[in-house]
Amino acid sequence: AKDIAFLQDYMKGKGYSRDTVLSTFPQTSTLIEPTFIYGGDEFAINPPRVAGFYGEFIEGLLGSSPVRAVEGVMPPGILKIALEPPISADAVAGAAVAGALGKSSTAILDSHDKIKAASTLL
């Protein structure tokens, strides 16, 4: 995504924020970087929101073995990001609590699988 012109400032800011947190709290930080979060009961445009039932369906589809196999061999880029399964708001919250309580030893949770694993540590 850093090679896409309209995302360059966003990616620069994201990198700066990540570096600042990690250097300020080197032993105790947990950064959660999901690609797409779903949850709740309804769809919305502002803020963008996908309802839980639909997000679960897409997570199941993109989390299937054939799609994960294709995603695993793709080079980094926007298409690989698009094939990453979305993650539920509940899983993100669980990962945040696990990080805050020191139960997660991973400083950067930057994939569906890492966030999901951390969310089960409670």
Side-chain angles (χ1 to χ4, degrees):
K2 65 184 174 189
D3 296 330
I4 300 172
F6 72 89
L7 291 177
Q8 287 179 350
D9 287 342
Y10 166 78
M11 296 303 290
K12 189 183 301 182
K14 184 176 173 180
Y16 172 78
S17 298
R18 175 192 272 209
D19 294 346
T20 300
V21 169
L22 293 175
S23 65
T24 305
F25 306 102
Q27 304 301 318
T28 58
S29 60
T30 300
L31 295 174
I32 303 172
E33 301 177 346
T35 56
F36 190 83
I37 302 173
Y38 68 85
D41 297 330
E42 59 188 47
F43 290 88
I45 299 296
N46 192 9
R49 184 176 312 129
V50 173
F53 69 91
Y54 183 75
E56 286 177 20
F57 171 74
I58 299 300
E59 182 179 19
L61 179 67
L62 294 180
S64 68
S65 297
V67 176
R68 294 308 296 269
V70 169
E71 179 207 355
V73 298
M74 293 188 72
I78 196 77
L79 190 55
K80 185 177 179 90
I81 292 169
L83 289 177
E84 173 91 10
I87 189 94
S88 71
D90 291 340
V92 173
V97 172
L101 295 177
K103 295 187 180 279
S104 174
S105 60
T106 305
I108 301 173
L109 305 174
D110 59 357
S111 72
H112 172 272
D113 296 339
K114 290 178 187 176
I115 296 167
K116 197 82 156 178
S119 74
T120 65
L121 297 174
L122 298 176

